[in-house]
Amino acid sequence: MEMALLTRIAAGTAVTAAAFVATRRAVRAAVREDLETARRRDPAVHSDLVTLVSYPGLHAIWAHRGLHKLWQRPSGKVPARLLSQIVRTLTGVEIHPGATIGRRFFIDHANGIVVGETAEIGDDVMLYQQVTLGGTSMEQEKRHPTIGNDVLIGAGAKVIGPVTVGDGASVGANAVVVKDVPPDSIAVGVPATIKRPAGVAHPHGGEYELVDPAIWI
């Protein structure tokens, strides 16, 4: 019964979203940009139509944009939070509606992603599965990470607390980051250490083609 209800909700949401996209130029442009991002970031993409209907990471991102706007209204916080849990159930991606996310954000193999309330994510950021952008404080304050522009975070990585991952940086798979990561550097290990110092060219050159295999370990 619960699954049938969720299926009906998902179907209704998809129809409503399609109608909304068809009538809003800015929304259509954003969707086109997201599909182009998927093509650039994922070599498995062969069809925009398949991507549109079968990529839960994109569905979670699209849902978050609407829920984030709803969260800005005092009366919208409760429904935004409840709806975000439905999105979590349907996609396997939990993004708190209070989180701030930039353009061309992409989640590959979306599953087990957690993005906390006060997290801030810049433009051109890519996450793999099982990434957590979590907090440690119980206070109502900035307690989640700030992720700069053009950042890659590998599968299973945990970035915890109000740390900053600088522009152009990469976080290796299964790394646990509890301190700031300088721009243009690679953080690997538990706890994460900086493998490449700041001041060098982007480790992934904006395309995530890394020459250092440690980023995937």
Side-chain angles (χ1 to χ4, degrees):
M1 180 67 71
E2 180 179 350
M3 183 56 66
L5 176 60
L6 290 175
T7 301
R8 288 197 297 271
I9 292 173
T13 301
V15 171
T16 302
F20 181 69
V21 168
T23 58
R24 294 293 294 271
R25 181 178 301 177
V27 175
R28 293 199 302 270
V31 170
R32 284 196 298 269
E33 183 176 66
D34 291 332
L35 292 174
E36 180 183 349
T37 298
R39 288 196 300 270
R40 289 190 294 112
R41 302 307 190 205
D42 186 358
V45 171
H46 300 291
S47 164
D48 283 347
L49 176 61
V50 172
T51 303
L52 186 69
V53 300
S54 67
Y55 270 50
L58 286 179
H59 301 161
I61 292 166
W62 293 335
H64 172 74
R65 289 176 184 159
L67 296 178
H68 182 68
K69 291 182 179 179
L70 182 60
W71 179 263
Q72 309 307 310
R73 306 175 184 174
S75 61
K77 293 190 183 301
V78 171
R81 194 71 178 98
L82 295 176
L83 288 169
S84 73
Q85 293 307 295
I86 295 176
V87 175
R88 174 193 181 187
T89 300
L90 295 173
T91 66
V93 177
E94 180 175 355
I95 305 176
H96 193 287
T100 302
I101 299 176
R103 295 172 61 187
R104 297 178 296 278
F105 178 50
F106 183 63
I107 305 171
D108 199 8
H109 302 293
N111 182 56
I113 300 292
V114 177
V115 179
E117 177 186 5
T118 62
E120 300 173 59
I121 299 175
D123 297 335
D124 300 295
V125 172
M126 181 174 177
L127 308 183
Y128 282 87
Q129 66 271 21
Q130 305 296 324
V131 167
T132 296
L133 304 182
T136 55
S137 173
M138 297 297 291
E139 301 297 326
Q140 293 293 322
E141 59 187 11
K142 170 65 173 171
R143 60 190 186 279
H144 297 98
T146 296
I147 309 299
N149 300 321
D150 189 30
V151 170
L152 165 68
I153 302 182
K158 316 301 178 189
V159 187
I160 306 298
V163 300
T164 297
V165 178
D167 294 350
S170 300
V171 177
N174 294 314
V176 177
V177 176
V178 292
K179 295 182 180 179
D180 290 351
V181 178
D184 302 321
S185 63
I186 294 176
V188 293
V190 182
T193 57
I194 305 304
K195 188 171 179 64
R196 181 175 297 180
V200 299
H202 287 348
H204 47 70
E207 294 299 332
Y208 310 120
E209 295 178 354
L210 298 168
V211 297
D212 188 342
I215 192 68
W216 306 115
I217 297 174

